[in-house]
């Protein structure tokens, strides 16, 4: 993509700004691309294009819209290596992880959306009422840098599937994959104005979209602090908002758990994507009598995660996304140590001398669950390990968080684990290492946000309902 271009109404056109944003490779600190530093005037153009395209797009039968999404899925399959390489370059994900998860997960999610679309497109009959599902309208999709393609696709594809039109504002830290997605949607022949892309900063483009009177819904993924700002801006127009925010998820090992498997799975979750995952299991709760043994095993496993060039297929741990993220982590960890947390077996979490924003993974032994490091989302490869006395104590500790996005529990007795899971105040709980199901709802509680993504639940977020009340002698109206 040339500098100073945005994608609006089916065309690449100049931004109203002459300024550009540099996309920086966090492993090399080199500039790998340029995108516009967009302005509110760009947003006005994009929203107008989306508004103009809405009547015709929403009137298409669901099967016709699905045809475009199936073409998108085919193109993404054919070009997944290019997307993986762009994601590795812009945000530092190890290349094998980028191929397997950063591009593989959104392809699975798109398949689940397509499977759910027929049922989500049919009206329901309730007595003498017919309930129709309509698209909410123009959607502003504000997406993060940590899983750029996945978070773009679960918003954009779901909104398009049910008949909405979209303006996408990707994170300024990871804009390259958004450009590739826009090119792909253009190449499959998506009608002009149905999808629009405006690059820029959250403070300008993001704020303009969230507060735009022509936007019917804002779907945002990012930090809790930024989510509050988005919700406040949207509230001025009573615009619908869906927020997927932060997390500080607990992995609970009950006393009959398979400890080797549970600890390995918990460490892998915590370190995935260099700890830059909203669902990362960044708190591990273990019985007091297994505490020291578990800490030793955590440290041993972390040492096996190779840190290095994310383009190397053998690398398992890449850099943090920016120098600011690295420095912010150092400040928080220094405070945690001063407050009584300590590294198991020495150092951890410190910046590494290599070029790039690399930090060493670490396990923090913490006995005071009230410490800020236990409650704050660090977004880094740092695991807080806490002991508990009883199962009731473990549940109280797991729920002692301002967040409620994800969690995990391990037990040899699945019924026991399931009962424990039902007591956890989170949107998702994995039992004994169960993996993500792209047909199940994904969303949080409390300060992790509200609204859902994935499958039919994700489609419903972009729909509104109309209840048509029929006279008693009207019979079956059909669709």
């Amino acid at each position: 993509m040339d500098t100073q271009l945005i994608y609006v109404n089916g065309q690449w056109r100049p931004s109203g700004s002459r300024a550009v944003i540099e996309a920086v490779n966090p492993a090399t600190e080199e500039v790998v691309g340029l995108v516009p530093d967009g302005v509110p005037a760009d947003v006005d153009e994009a929203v107008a294009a989306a508004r103009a395209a809405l009547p015709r797009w929403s009137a298409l039968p669901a099967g016709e819209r699905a045809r475009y999404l199936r073409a998108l899925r085919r193109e993404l399959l054919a070009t997944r290596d290019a997307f993986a390489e762009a994601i590795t370059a812009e945000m530092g994900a190890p290349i094998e992880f980028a191929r397997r998860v950063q591009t593989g997960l959104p392809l699975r999610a798109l398949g689940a959306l397509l499977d759910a679309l027929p049922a989500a497109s049919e009206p329901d009959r309730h007595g003498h009422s017919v309930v129709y599902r309509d698209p909410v309208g123009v959607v502003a999709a504000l997406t993060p840098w940590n899983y750029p393609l996945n978070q773009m696709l679960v918003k954009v594809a779901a909104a398009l599937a049910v008949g909405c039109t979209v303006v996408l504002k990707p994170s300024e830290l990871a804009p390259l994959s958004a450009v590739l997605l826009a090119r792909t949607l253009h190449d499959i022949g998506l009608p002009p104005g149905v999808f629009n892309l405006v690059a820029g900063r959250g403070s300008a483009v993001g704020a303009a979209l969230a507060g735009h009177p022509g936007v019917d819904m804002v779907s945002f993924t990012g930090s809790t602090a930024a989510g509050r700002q988005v919700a406040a801006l949207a509230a001025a127009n009573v615009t619908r908002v869906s927020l997927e925010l932060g997390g500080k998820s607990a992995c609970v090992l009950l006393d009959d758990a398979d400890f080797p498997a549970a600890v390995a799975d918990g460490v892998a979750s915590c370190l995935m994507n260099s700890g830059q995952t909203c669902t990362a299991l960044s708190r591990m709760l273990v019985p007091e009598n297994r505490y020291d043994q578990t800490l030793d095993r955590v440290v041993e496993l972390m040492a096996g995660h190779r840190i290095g060039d994310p383009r190397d297929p053998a690398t398992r741990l890449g850099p943090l996304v920016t120098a600011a993220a690295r420095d912010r982590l150092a400040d928080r960890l220094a405070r945690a140590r001063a407050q009584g947390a300590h590294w198991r077996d020495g150092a951890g979490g410190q910046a590494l001398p290599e070029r790039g924003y690399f930090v060493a993974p670490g396990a923090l032994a913490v006995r005071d669950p009230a410490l800020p490091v236990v409650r704050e989302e660090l977004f880094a490869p740092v695991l807080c390990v806490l002991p508990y006395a009883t199962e009731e104590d473990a549940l109280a500790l797991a729920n002692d968080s301002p967040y409620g996005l994800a969690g995990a529990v391990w037990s040899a007795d699945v019924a026991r684990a399931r009962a424990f899971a039902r007591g956890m105040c989170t949107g998702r709980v994995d039992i004994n290492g169960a993996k993500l199901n792209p047909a199940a709802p994904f969303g949080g509680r409390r300060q992790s946000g509200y609204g859902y993504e994935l499958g039919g639940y994700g489609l419903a977020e972009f729909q509104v309902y109309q209840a048509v009340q029929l006279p008693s002698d009207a019979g079956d109206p059909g669709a």
Side-chain angles (χ1 to χ4, degrees):
M1 174 182 177
D2 295 332
T3 59
Q4 299 181 318
L5 294 183
I6 58 177
Y7 184 73
V8 174
N9 205 29
Q11 297 180 330
W12 294 101
R13 62 175 66 176
S15 166
S17 167
R18 293 180 176 232
V20 295
I21 296 173
E22 295 180 340
V24 175
N25 185 324
T28 65
E29 304 181 41
E30 297 172 344
V31 175
V32 291
L34 299 168
V35 294
D37 191 357
V39 292
D42 299 335
V43 171
D44 291 338
E45 286 189 40
V47 172
R51 177 66 53 193
L54 181 62
R56 181 172 293 183
W57 179 252
S58 62
L60 282 181
E64 283 296 301
R65 296 194 297 268
R67 182 175 62 82
Y68 285 102
L69 295 181
R70 284 192 291 269
L72 171 62
R73 192 171 189 276
R74 287 193 297 270
E75 287 300 310
L76 290 174
L77 277 168
T79 59
R80 64 185 300 176
D81 282 349
F83 275 94
E85 289 164 6
I87 291 168
T88 294
E90 67 188 353
M91 57 76 58
I95 187 62
E96 286 304 305
F97 181 79
R99 290 174 179 144
R100 179 173 53 86
V101 177
Q102 292 276 10
T103 60
L105 181 58
L107 286 167
R108 291 174 58 211
L110 181 51
L113 288 173
L114 286 166
D115 289 343
L117 183 57
S121 305
E122 294 297 319
D124 297 325
R125 182 71 184 263
H126 298 277
H128 70 288
S129 301
V130 181
V131 179
Y132 294 93
R133 307 164 191 256
D134 295 323
V136 69
V138 174
V139 172
L142 311 181
T143 59
W145 52 265
N146 59 330
Y147 288 87
L149 179 60
N150 185 71
Q151 291 306 119
M152 288 187 291
L153 207 59
V154 297
K155 297 179 189 300
V156 171
L160 296 182
V162 299
C164 300
T165 55
V166 177
V167 180
L168 170 66
K169 203 294 285 188
S171 168
E172 59 266 35
L173 300 180
L176 304 184
S177 48
V179 173
L180 288 179
L181 179 61
R183 288 175 174 169
T184 304
L185 288 167
H186 182 86
D187 290 345
I188 65 171
L190 196 69
V194 173
F195 170 84
N196 307 273
L197 169 68
V198 180
R201 302 180 194 277
S203 57
V205 172
L209 274 170
H212 202 289
V215 168
D216 298 297
M217 178 176 176
V218 181
S219 180
F220 171 82
T221 297
S223 71
T224 297
R228 291 191 187 100
Q229 296 173 353
V230 166
L233 289 165
N237 298 309
V238 198
T239 301
R240 287 169 58 126
V241 178
S242 176
L243 300 174
E244 196 268 282
L245 308 176
K248 189 73 173 184
S249 301
C251 178
V252 182
L253 282 59
L254 298 182
D255 54 16
D256 64 343
D258 179 345
F259 273 73
V263 174
D265 186 80
V267 168
S269 169
C270 180
L271 301 190
M272 183 171 61
N273 211 35
S274 299
Q276 300 169 132
T277 300
C278 56
T279 58
L281 300 176
S282 52
R283 293 184 292 150
M284 183 174 288
L285 311 183
V286 299
E288 177 69 60
N289 63 355
R290 305 291 293 269
Y291 188 59
D292 288 334
Q293 173 188 353
T294 300
L295 277 165
D296 289 341
R297 181 58 179 154
V298 166
V299 171
E300 182 181 356
L301 288 166
M302 285 185 167
H305 279 67
R306 177 173 172 178
I307 306 170
D309 183 350
R311 296 169 299 181
D312 184 343
T315 295
R316 295 185 66 189
L317 204 63
L320 297 187
V321 69
T322 61
R326 178 195 60 197
D327 296 343
R328 184 166 56 248
L329 175 66
D331 290 342
R332 288 179 170 179
L333 294 179
R335 182 181 62 182
R337 290 193 296 272
Q339 292 169 337
H342 69 274
W343 292 114
R344 184 67 170 189
D345 291 347
Q350 80 275 16
L352 299 178
E354 292 84 356
R355 190 179 189 189
Y357 313 131
F358 294 92
V359 299
L364 274 175
V366 187
R367 289 189 170 273
D368 181 359
L371 290 186
V373 75
V374 179
R375 303 177 65 79
E376 295 173 342
E377 184 179 43
L378 298 180
F379 237 48
V382 175
L383 178 62
C384 293
V385 186
L386 298 95
Y388 68 83
T390 66
E391 186 172 326
E392 292 74 18
D393 180 37
L395 183 59
L397 286 171
N399 288 332
D400 185 18
S401 171
Y403 299 108
L405 188 58
V409 58
W410 286 75
S411 171
D413 183 343
V414 173
R416 180 188 181 194
R418 187 170 177 177
F420 190 96
R422 290 291 294 131
M424 296 177 73
C425 297
T426 67
R428 166 186 160 194
V429 183
D430 303 332
I431 293 176
N432 292 349
K435 302 307 178 186
L436 176 71
N437 178 358
F442 179 83
R445 303 178 182 182
R446 297 183 289 197
Q447 292 187 29
S448 289
Y450 46 82
Y452 294 94
E453 294 176 336
L454 302 182
Y457 304 91
L459 296 173
E461 281 297 313
F462 299 102
Q463 292 179 311
V464 290
Y465 302 98
Q466 182 187 55
V468 176
Q469 324 297 346
L470 302 173
S472 59
D473 59 351
D476 186 349

